């Protein structure tokens, strides 16, 4: 009887332990926003400041103040890029917020806090998902953000269910060994069609990027039969869609650090990990607008194409450069449409054609919801950067290269709510379709007289 009683007690103890563990798992993975376990509550009390330096003297003071704090710059992404009359968005840890408030007030520098508790905003962003619930693969929800595993499963499903229009392949593997999947969209009418490359998720924390790439695929496939414009595009062009360029970083932004930007490669001399995948291209590498320090968010890497992700995409584009006529990279946030040059203040040879394409695309985008985008050369419209993908693509013979900076202009920053995925993607879809349609009209400079860079 005693042994039986002890056995029952032991079973109850194991059951309680199992129940507790189950509750913790459910709480952290399913009800994270409710229970406060999302990212282990690491952003509780963190704030995002918007600072307005109005003079060169104030610019110097802001750089000095932020340089003595451990901060996460959102806009611009480097202290060196802070300029007068341009706002600075900066994420500050909870234990440094009071100090920054005090210093800015002492220096009489204009600022305000537009996110007072970052943890709550993160929970708001992902809370929309729980209200909609997860659906089955046949009812994939394009109005929520998806993890890398979900996106890759969706890619396999698109490939399986659309054999006439979709072909899935990998261009290589990431630093951590993850496949770099691409979807090719287009009617298999002839082998040497012109092509458009679109990549998303170069910077891990910009979740709206992968959401758009998925949206583009969905819209292209669902409208092929009834939309004459889309049917013409898929019949006459191929679209290479890479929903998540920086697969390691994107996965890390879901599991550990929501605001991770870089890749996840290791550095031999420093504990800091990762390289800015948009500073690692072999064009004016590691010059102005890029950092040589491995701990900086704009770290250019130990050498050009050091990152397997960049090297794999560059290799693919070089191999197909005769057919790829447009390169489009989706980023956030700023509401801009940018084109070369990024690394210098100069006009590209085919400026008139590219400028016209950008203007038409921005007008098409505006027609959806009245959202205004600025457009122009990246160096003058945003800031100077070296080693960027659009400059590299342009140098390698792709005449139309663009980088979108999607919504918004700072109210939500990188935490664009899931409720805004649909309008953001709908308007961007109009812009991308307009650019692709322009390719069919052959507004190009003769390749024999086109000195790219």
């Amino acid at each position: 009887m005693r042994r039986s009683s002890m056995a029952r007690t032991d079973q109850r103890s194991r059951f309680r332990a199992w129940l507790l563990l189950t509750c913790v798992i459910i709480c952290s993975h399913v009800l994270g926003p409710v229970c406060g376990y999302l990212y282990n509550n690491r952003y509780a009390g963190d704030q995002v400041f918007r600072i307005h330096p109005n003079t060169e003297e104030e610019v110097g003071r802001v750089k000095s103040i932020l340089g003595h704090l451990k901060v996460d710059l959102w806009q611009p992404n480097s202290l060196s890029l802070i300029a007068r009359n341009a706002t600075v968005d900066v994420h500050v840890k909870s234990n440094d917020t009071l100090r920054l408030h005090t210093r800015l007030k002492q220096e009489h520098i204009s600022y305000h806090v537009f996110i007072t508790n970052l943890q709550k905003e993160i929970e708001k962003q992902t809370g929309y998902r729980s209200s909609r619930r997860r659906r089955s693969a046949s009812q994939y929800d394009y109005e929520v953000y998806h993890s890398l595993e979900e996106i890759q499963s969706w890619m396999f499903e698109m490939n399986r269910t659309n054999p006439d229009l979709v072909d899935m392949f990998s261009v290589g593997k990431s630093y951590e060994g993850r496949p770099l999947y691409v979807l090719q969209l287009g009617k298999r009418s002839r082998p040497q069609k012109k092509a458009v490359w679109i990549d998303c998720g170069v910077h891990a924390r910009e979740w709206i990027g992968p959401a758009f790439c998925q949206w583009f695929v969905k819209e292209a496939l669902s409208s092929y039969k009834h939309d004459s414009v889309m049917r013409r595009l898929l019949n006459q062009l191929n679209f290479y869609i890479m929903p998540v360029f920086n697969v390691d970083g994107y996965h890390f932004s879901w599991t550990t650090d929501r605001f991770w930007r870089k890749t996840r490669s290791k550095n031999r001399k420093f504990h800091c990990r990762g390289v800015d995948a948009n500073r690692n291209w072999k064009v004016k590498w590691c010059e102005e607008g890029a950092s040589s320090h491995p701990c900086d968010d704009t770290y250019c890497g130990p050498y050009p194409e050091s990152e397997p992700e960049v090297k794999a995409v560059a290799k693919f584009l070089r191999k197909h450069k005769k057919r790829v006529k447009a390169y489009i990279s989706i980023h956030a946030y700023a509401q801009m449409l940018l084109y070369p040059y990024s690394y210098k203040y100069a006009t590209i040879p085919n400026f008139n054609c590219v400028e016209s394409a950008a203007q038409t695309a921005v007008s098409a985008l505006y027609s959806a919801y009245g959202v205004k985008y600025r457009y122009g050369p990246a160096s003058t419209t945003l800031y100077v950067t070296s080693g960027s993908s659009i400059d590299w693509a342009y140098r390698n013979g792709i005449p139309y290269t663009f980088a979108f900076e999607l919504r918004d202009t700072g109210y939500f920053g990188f935490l664009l709510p899931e409720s805004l995925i649909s309008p953001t993607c709908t308007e961007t879809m109009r812009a991308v379709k307009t650019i692709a349609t322009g390719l069919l009209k052959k507004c190009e400079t003769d390749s024999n007289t086109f000195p790219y860079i």
Side-chain angles (χ1 to χ4, degrees):
M1 289 291 292
R2 187 177 179 183
R3 286 183 181 178
S4 177
S5 177
M6 288 176 65
R8 285 197 297 271
T9 302
D10 189 48
Q11 286 175 349
R12 284 196 295 268
S13 297
R14 285 201 298 268
F15 176 75
R16 289 193 191 103
W18 172 84
L19 188 61
L20 178 62
L21 179 62
T22 302
C23 289
V24 169
I25 292 172
I26 292 172
C27 194
S28 61
H29 292 281
V30 180
L31 302 175
V34 177
C35 306
Y37 279 94
L38 198 62
Y39 298 101
N40 294 318
N41 221 29
R42 66 180 291 171
Y43 303 105
D46 289 12
Q47 296 184 341
V48 181
F49 288 63
R50 171 158 286 187
I51 306 170
H52 310 270
N54 296 316
T55 66
E56 290 298 336
E57 185 179 2
E58 288 187 352
V59 167
R61 291 174 184 170
V62 170
K63 288 181 178 179
S64 177
I65 293 169
L66 297 181
H68 286 86
L69 297 173
K70 190 175 181 180
V71 299
D72 171 25
L73 279 168
W74 285 15
Q75 288 285 5
N77 47 44
S78 170
L79 287 176
S80 64
L81 298 173
I82 295 175
R84 65 184 179 89
N85 297 324
T87 58
V88 180
D89 294 347
V90 58
H91 162 208
V92 184
K93 299 297 291 181
S94 58
N95 56 353
D96 284 325
T97 55
L98 182 59
R99 184 179 171 190
L100 183 56
H101 277 287
T102 302
R103 288 299 310 278
L104 292 173
K105 287 177 180 178
Q106 286 175 345
E107 299 292 346
H108 303 289
I109 296 172
S110 175
Y111 78 96
H112 70 277
V113 176
F114 70 89
I115 296 181
T116 56
N117 189 324
L118 197 55
Q119 182 71 28
K120 288 185 178 180
E121 289 304 316
I122 292 172
E123 292 166 5
K124 282 182 187 178
Q125 186 191 40
T126 52
Y128 184 64
R129 181 192 307 117
S130 61
S131 68
R132 293 175 63 95
R133 299 292 181 186
R134 285 284 188 244
R135 298 177 182 178
S136 66
S138 61
Q139 295 178 306
Y140 194 79
D141 195 341
Y142 293 90
E143 295 185 41
V144 300
Y145 295 112
H146 290 278
S147 68
L148 179 65
E149 293 76 14
E150 290 172 332
I151 293 172
Q152 291 183 341
S153 295
W154 165 83
M155 293 177 76
F156 277 101
E157 184 68 10
M158 292 298 99
N159 184 55
R160 185 186 69 82
T161 55
N162 299 276
D164 294 336
L165 292 173
V166 178
D167 184 31
M168 180 177 172
F169 59 92
S170 171
V171 294
K173 288 190 175 182
S174 69
Y175 178 84
E176 295 180 341
R178 294 182 174 88
L180 303 172
Y181 289 129
V182 175
L183 291 178
Q184 176 184 312
L185 271 61
K187 192 72 175 175
R188 293 182 176 86
S189 52
R190 58 182 187 274
Q192 296 299 318
K193 293 197 298 181
K194 292 180 181 179
V196 176
W197 172 278
I198 304 176
D199 60 47
C200 300
V202 171
H203 293 139
R205 60 191 178 185
E206 300 166 8
W207 285 8
I208 188 60
F212 171 73
C213 268
Q214 295 169 81
W215 189 277
F216 180 91
V217 172
K218 179 258 298 185
E219 284 295 305
L221 297 178
S222 63
S223 65
Y224 176 76
K225 291 183 178 180
H226 62 80
D227 182 341
S228 60
V229 175
M230 184 55 73
R231 184 163 59 252
R232 182 167 175 252
L233 289 176
L234 292 183
N235 285 345
Q236 299 188 33
L237 295 171
N238 281 330
F239 290 85
Y240 296 113
I241 312 296
M242 190 177 197
V244 187
F245 183 109
N246 178 10
V247 289
D248 296 344
Y250 185 73
H251 176 75
F252 191 73
S253 76
W254 273 77
T255 61
T256 308
D257 184 350
R258 174 63 186 85
F259 302 105
W260 187 259
R261 170 184 167 91
K262 301 186 289 182
T263 62
R264 292 292 297 159
S265 56
K266 292 182 180 179
N267 187 284
R268 292 180 181 179
K269 296 182 180 179
F270 294 84
H271 290 296
C272 304
R273 294 185 65 161
V275 168
D276 186 338
N278 201 33
R279 302 291 188 277
N280 192 234
W281 297 77
K282 197 174 182 178
V283 53
K284 300 296 177 180
W285 174 78
C286 216
E287 296 186 12
E288 187 176 356
S291 172
S292 59
H293 197 290
C295 295
D296 289 343
D297 269 351
T298 56
Y299 175 47
C300 59
Y303 52 88
E305 296 182 23
S306 62
E307 303 312 282
E309 301 86 350
V310 174
K311 186 175 183 178
V313 173
K315 181 180 179 180
F316 178 86
L317 292 174
R318 274 192 291 261
K319 182 179 179 181
H320 298 90
K321 67 180 182 180
K322 290 185 178 180
R323 294 194 296 110
V324 178
K325 298 300 179 182
Y327 171 91
I328 299 172
S329 192
I330 307 295
H331 294 261
Y333 60 96
Q335 291 177 199
M336 294 179 180
L337 177 54
L338 309 170
Y339 52 82
Y341 298 110
S342 299
Y343 76 89
K344 66 178 180 179
Y345 302 109
T347 302
I348 54 176
N350 63 336
F351 172 81
N352 289 337
C353 281
V354 173
E355 172 83 355
S356 176
Q359 183 180 29
T360 306
V362 167
S363 296
L365 186 150
Y366 178 82
S367 70
Y369 302 102
V371 174
K372 294 181 179 179
Y373 271 52
R374 293 169 58 198
Y375 64 93
S379 57
T380 56
T381 310
L382 189 55
Y383 40 66
V384 173
T385 58
S386 58
S388 72
S389 63
I390 60 171
D391 280 352
W392 180 91
Y394 191 74
R395 182 178 190 173
N396 280 267
I398 301 176
Y400 290 90
T401 68
F402 297 98
F404 279 85
E405 292 282 350
L406 301 187
R407 294 196 198 184
D408 58 3
T409 56
Y411 185 81
F412 295 108
F414 297 118
L415 296 176
L416 193 72
E418 290 178 323
S419 58
L420 293 180
I421 290 176
S422 177
T424 301
C425 292
T426 297
E427 65 195 11
T428 308
M429 187 75 189
R430 292 192 184 188
V432 172
K433 281 177 69 176
T434 299
I435 292 171
T437 302
L439 283 182
L440 299 181
K441 298 177 181 178
K442 297 182 179 180
C443 180
E444 296 178 39
T445 303
D446 190 326
S447 59
N448 294 324
T449 59
F450 188 44
Y452 294 100
I453 292 182

